[in-house]
Amino acid sequence: MNPVDDMPPGVDERTERLICRLLDGEISFEDRAELDDTLACNPAARLLLEEYRRIDAQAATALRGDFRGVTTAVAPGRRSGLWLATAGGLLAAAAVVALSFLPDLWSGPAKTERTGPVQIAGRTDGAIVPPSGNLSPYPAGSGFQPSGPRFADYRNLDQRPVLRSRDVQREWIGIPSADMKTIIIIERKAQTTKITPITGDF
Amino acid sequence: MACGTDQGDRELIAAAQMGERSALDELVRRHDRWVRNVVYATTANASAIDDIVQGVWIKVWQQIGTLMEPSRWRAWLYRLAKNAAIDAGQKVAGERRSRLAFMRSRQGRASVPQPATTLMEEEQRRRVLAAIRGLPAIYREPFILRHLEDWSYAEIGEAMSLPVDTVETRLVRARRLLRAALQDSDTEQKAHAR
């Protein structure tokens, strides 16, 4: 016999259907009265109701756990480790920093228009140094406290071409280095950020 | 969850068809979770959802001009999501085999002791998920849509372009098959324990 047609013992198809309607919240008043009458005199039907109720609860828990557990930013057991958390934080910070300094380049240099003072840290030997004044590279109120270097070198960033592309949920930003030998590709997704350096003689 | 395409959606669809990007962004905001549920119901595998859903919205942007009846938006979106999930599923199946091999190779190393109840719950969850994944697709999809976020028969029928009676029949059969599969799994487990 086809397992789909293999009815639970002692329960007819009509009763099984009513049990499913009840569990799915789709039962009418009349159907509910009919089912109550059946349940009152049929232990197999009561057993099936309890069994289906348990299966429903287990299925909902399993499916919701699977669906939400894996689609959150960090899936326990799949991506773990302090190094990854640190790297993730730094990568996210890089994107945040890049974005905080780049909106004026979105439409190209011709449209550059700053709404406030932007201070660029840097010195001519290219070392990573703190910016002058009290400027943090992390946006105020972002709550981000990185464990790595607190300052980055943004020399002349606003004079270099920055490539940006985006689709519905993803955005790519290409930032060339000062010597134009490397382009850092920042890929921002809704939940993750990835940075890939591409080295070459550009 | 509202059934059908509301007036707001219709206006957004019309604007998106005119090339208005912000309209699509709003459609994404409104329906992204719904699309995720559909993709998950099709693949029964959460690991690839982000990429698949992203692909779905790109297709929506590319093809929204072909949607002649905005009232059929959900059914149209369902088809796009389902097809994308099926395409991705074929790719994921191959990747899953290699990932399973990798996980097995790591199992010996990951020996963090866990409370017995947690292990039992995890085992139970795994068995139920395996049983659901083993259902034929025509029963599995409505079952997941129903149990993931309590979709009504009408909502499932609207998405899958099925009459409500058919949805109900499929859910009855899904439960019947699941019950049998879990009983078999119980029997196997007990035999294994002896």
Side-chain angles (χ1 to χ4, degrees), chain A residues 4 6-7 16-17 20-21 24 26 51 56 58 64 66 68 70 167-170 189 191, chain B residues 21 32 40 46 50 54 57 124 133 146-148 150 153 168-169 173 175-176 179 183:
Chain A
V4 171
D6 193 5
M7 288 292 298
E16 187 190 28
R17 188 169 284 257
C20 290
R21 281 184 197 165
D24 290 334
E26 305 265 352
E51 209 170 349
D56 275 8
Q58 289 173 345
R64 289 169 189 176
D66 185 49
R68 290 175 189 150
V70 182
D167 62 30
V168 175
Q169 294 186 19
R170 214 178 328 211
K189 292 163 72 171
Q191 294 173 332
Chain B
R21 186 55 179 266
D32 189 66
Y40 181 67
D50 284 348
Q54 221 159 63
W57 286 116
Q124 177 67 21
R133 286 173 181 149
R146 165 75 202 127
H147 287 78
L148 193 59
D150 296 332
Y153 292 174
E168 183 184 23
T169 301
R173 290 181 172 175
R175 281 193 177 95
R176 200 183 291 167
R179 174 178 169 274
Q183 280 179 344

Side-chain angles (χ1 to χ4, degrees), chain A residues 67-91:
Chain A
F67 181 74
R68 290 175 189 150
V70 182
T71 55
T72 49
V74 177
R78 292 189 185 215
R79 301 170 195 166
S80 60
L82 186 59
W83 71 270
L84 198 52
T86 306
L90 288 173
L91 292 182

Side-chain angles (χ1 to χ4, degrees), chain A residues 140-155:
Chain A
S142 68
F144 184 76
Q145 291 297 323
S147 57
R150 294 291 303 273
F151 306 102
D153 181 5
Y154 305 112
R155 284 175 310 133

Side-chain angles (χ1 to χ4, degrees), chain B:
Chain B
M1 185 192 308
C3 224
T5 308
D6 67 26
Q7 187 57 31
D9 280 350
R10 284 168 204 245
E11 286 168 8
L12 289 169
I13 291 163
Q17 287 178 325
M18 300 290 288
E20 198 177 304
R21 186 55 179 266
S22 60
L24 182 74
D25 290 344
E26 179 60 16
L27 286 171
V28 172
R29 197 187 62 74
R30 287 181 175 208
H31 299 284
D32 189 66
R33 188 180 182 89
W34 188 89
V35 170
R36 284 173 180 276
N37 290 340
V38 170
V39 168
Y40 181 67
T42 306
T43 62
N45 175 9
S47 62
I49 285 182
D50 284 348
D51 285 341
I52 298 172
V53 170
Q54 221 159 63
V56 171
W57 286 116
I58 290 169
K59 279 197 174 143
V60 168
W61 180 239
Q62 290 166 342
Q63 299 179 16
I64 197 162
T66 67
L67 175 61
M68 294 294 126
E69 296 176 69
S71 60
R72 303 273 302 149
W73 155 250
R74 275 283 176 83
W76 183 79
L77 188 58
Y78 178 84
R79 268 200 307 280
L80 279 185
K82 187 175 163 68
N83 289 340
I86 289 169
D87 290 346
Q90 289 162 356
K91 187 178 159 209
V92 166
E95 289 170 357
R96 191 186 301 157
R97 278 193 289 276
S98 53
R99 194 163 56 240
L100 275 174
F102 174 72
M103 296 290 279
R104 284 195 191 107
S105 74
R106 284 177 59 92
Q107 273 174 353
R109 283 181 266 165
S111 57
V112 180
Q114 292 188 41
T117 48
T118 308
L119 287 174
M120 284 171 65
E121 282 166 11
E122 179 55 29
E123 173 61 18
Q124 177 67 21
R125 196 185 67 84
R126 194 192 57 74
R127 275 188 337 117
V128 172
L129 275 179
I132 294 169
R133 286 173 181 149
L135 291 172
I138 60 166
Y139 303 128
R140 186 183 64 230
E141 288 171 27
F143 184 85
I144 292 180
L145 291 173
R146 165 75 202 127
H147 287 78
L148 193 59
E149 294 211 29
D150 296 332
W151 285 25
S152 68
Y153 292 174
E155 287 164 350
I156 297 170
E158 184 212 1
M160 298 180 72
S161 300
L162 290 173
V164 167
D165 285 353
T166 306
V167 171
E168 183 184 23
T169 301
R170 290 187 182 184
L171 283 168
V172 170
R173 290 181 172 175
R175 281 193 177 95
R176 200 183 291 167
L177 289 171
L178 206 50
R179 174 178 169 274
L182 289 170
Q183 280 179 344
D184 288 349
S185 166
D186 272 345
T187 311
E188 257 178 47
Q189 202 175 31
K190 282 172 188 164
H192 190 67
R194 279 186 204 129

